[in-house]
Amino acid sequence: MSTFLIILMEVMVLLTAGLVGWSVVTSLRKRGKGGKVVNNIPVKKLSYGVAAALACLLLLTFLMADTAPLPINGKPYTDTLWLRVTGMFTATAIILMILAAALIIYGKLKEYRQNRQA
């Protein structure tokens, strides 16, 4: 049973990576090669910047993830790759949630200050 779960987990990771790759390729084909600007916002540069920042964050959290063995069902789990991947996703999710909350607070405070000055 545990071998089946490990194989299922690996298949899911490969399918997810394939889906991400397909999504990026289709998005780039639809957008074209021109630098698209919507409402004076450089959409192409912004999306590449966000993708690069996310990739850097994922790499950084992967490299900083803890690889200490975890006791699971009384046995130590020592697979460093999956320990790092788990730590990477956990840390990245926490960082992104904190960043989202901070940006929401910043936006609300900015809106409050603008309404107060008007």
Side-chain angles (χ1 to χ4, degrees):
M1 182 66 171
S2 64
T3 306
F4 172 73
L5 290 176
I6 291 173
I7 291 172
L8 179 64
M9 182 174 55
E10 290 172 350
V11 167
M12 295 287 281
V13 167
L14 290 175
L15 285 173
T16 304
L19 184 62
V20 167
W22 174 78
S23 175
V24 168
V25 168
T26 354
S27 175
L28 291 176
R29 281 187 184 166
K30 285 182 182 178
R31 183 180 11 217
K33 296 194 185 259
K36 193 169 184 177
V37 176
V38 177
N39 294 330
N40 291 328
I41 298 172
V43 176
K44 188 175 182 180
K45 288 181 184 179
L46 185 63
S47 62
Y48 281 137
V50 169
L54 181 61
C56 289
L57 180 63
L58 285 169
L59 179 65
L60 182 66
T61 54
F62 178 80
L63 295 174
M64 293 177 60
D66 189 20
T67 59
L70 292 174
I72 298 177
N73 294 333
K75 297 178 183 177
Y77 185 76
T78 59
D79 192 344
T80 52
L81 172 69
W82 293 113
L83 287 169
R84 281 191 185 273
V85 168
T86 303
M88 171 188 71
F89 284 126
T90 305
T92 302
I94 290 169
I95 291 169
L96 289 176
M97 284 189 281
I98 291 170
L99 181 64
L103 289 174
I104 290 170
I105 292 169
Y106 171 76
K108 289 296 181 183
L109 288 176
K110 186 176 177 182
E111 180 183 319
Y112 175 75
R113 278 186 257 132
Q114 286 177 350
N115 289 341
R116 199 159 180 209
Q117 290 176 354

